[in-house]
Amino acid sequence: MVTALDIDLGEEILELKKRRNAVILAHNYQTADIQEVADYVGDSLGLAYQAKGTDADVIAFCGVHFMAETAKIVNPSKTVVLPDANAGCSLEQSCPAPQLDAFLREHADRNYYVIAYINCSGGVKALSDVICTSGNAVRIVEQAPKDRPILFVPDENLGAWVIEQTGRKMDLWKGNCYVHVEFTRDSIQRIKADHPDALVVAHPECTQAVRLLADEVCSTEKMIGFCRNAPVKDIIVVTESGMLHRLRRECPDKNLIAGPTDHCACADCRYMKMNTLEKLRNCLENLSPEVRMPEDLRVRAEQPLLRMLEQSK
Ligand code: 13P
Ligand code: SF4
């Protein structure tokens, strides 16, 4: 529900945006009120392209920290702010850069080609050969050198799905998204039984048991095309709850049903939901919290990101 306070805040945000010459980029998992004031709403890949291409002075990034950091890496002359600096990601946390560094040193004889899912720190990106998102992971893995073993970090579920799609063998880091592993075979089977004609679309961060129940597995942005073109009205959407707002806007004639977990009717990412309209107003006003990183680290993290942008064209 949009309140009078939201309308006031929304107007303040638009005013500040003009004053700061800022662009507001928001991930598909942001709350409805944030999506409504954003200039662009999309998945990690679309957001990375938008961040690189913008000529605004300030990027207000409504997503989690690694996404805002990616914006800074690819467009360093911009001031990048995010509403809540504590908006992390369980995948990022599952693969600390010093641990990956130690692993690569220990297995130096393997000469790994490291593919990092974008949900990781700048430190991990700097140790990688190329980055991927859920939207281009298959394409990126298909372009990996054939004569080198691949280490895929940090999401074992996305990695396993890419192995299924490409047939390419990869060693997987044991990380996962705490939100997507909450969906279970039972919880999805139950909602399917309630909606026998529904199709199921799931994010590749879900476990294989859940992916096997899906008619389509794809990134959040690709879910829009799938739902729009689906030959049925009912679609069960197995990903974070914010996606439902975006989908209902884009596909108003569909009945979009949130995939449930064993405990809840839908799944929220606590990190994505740390951002609020009020904090967005404050970060535009104060130009803080700001994303900064040492230039040598930024340069090392930029190379694999640019390789990704080039390879996913
Ligand atoms: P997408 O790039 O598919 O939007 O996924 C990002 C993410 O964090 C999923 O949990
Ligand atoms: Fe990270 Fe999962 Fe939240 Fe996406 S939904 S930001 S992968 S914790």
Side-chain angles (χ1 to χ4, degrees), residues 27 29 44 63-67 87-93 117 119 155 176-181 203 205 239-240 267-273:
H27 187 264
Y29 295 163
S44 310
V64 291
H65 186 272
F66 78 81
M67 296 178 174
C89 169
S90 70
L91 272 168
E92 175 177 352
Q93 287 153 16
Y117 185 32
N119 296 38
D155 188 1
N176 59 49
C177 161
Y178 91 99
V179 180
H180 286 86
V181 298
H203 197 274
E205 289 172 11
T239 192
E240 207 269 351
D268 287 337
C269 171
R270 65 170 173 270
Y271 304 110
M272 286 280 180
K273 267 42 186 191

Side-chain angles (χ1 to χ4, degrees), residues 60 89 107 121 165 170 179 211 282 305:
C89 169
H107 298 90
S121 65
Q165 300 302 301
M170 303 196 292
V179 180
R211 295 195 308 270
N282 294 346
L305 269 167

Side-chain angles (χ1 to χ4, degrees), residues 258-270:
T261 69
D262 286 336
H263 323 284
C264 282
C266 65
D268 287 337
C269 171
R270 65 170 173 270

Side-chain angles (χ1 to χ4, degrees), residues 41 84 104 109 119-120 149 180 227 245 249 281 299:
V41 184
D84 192 317
L104 291 173
D109 56 318
N119 296 38
C120 64
H180 286 86
C227 292
H245 176 73
R249 231 185 114 148
R281 188 264 320 269
V299 169

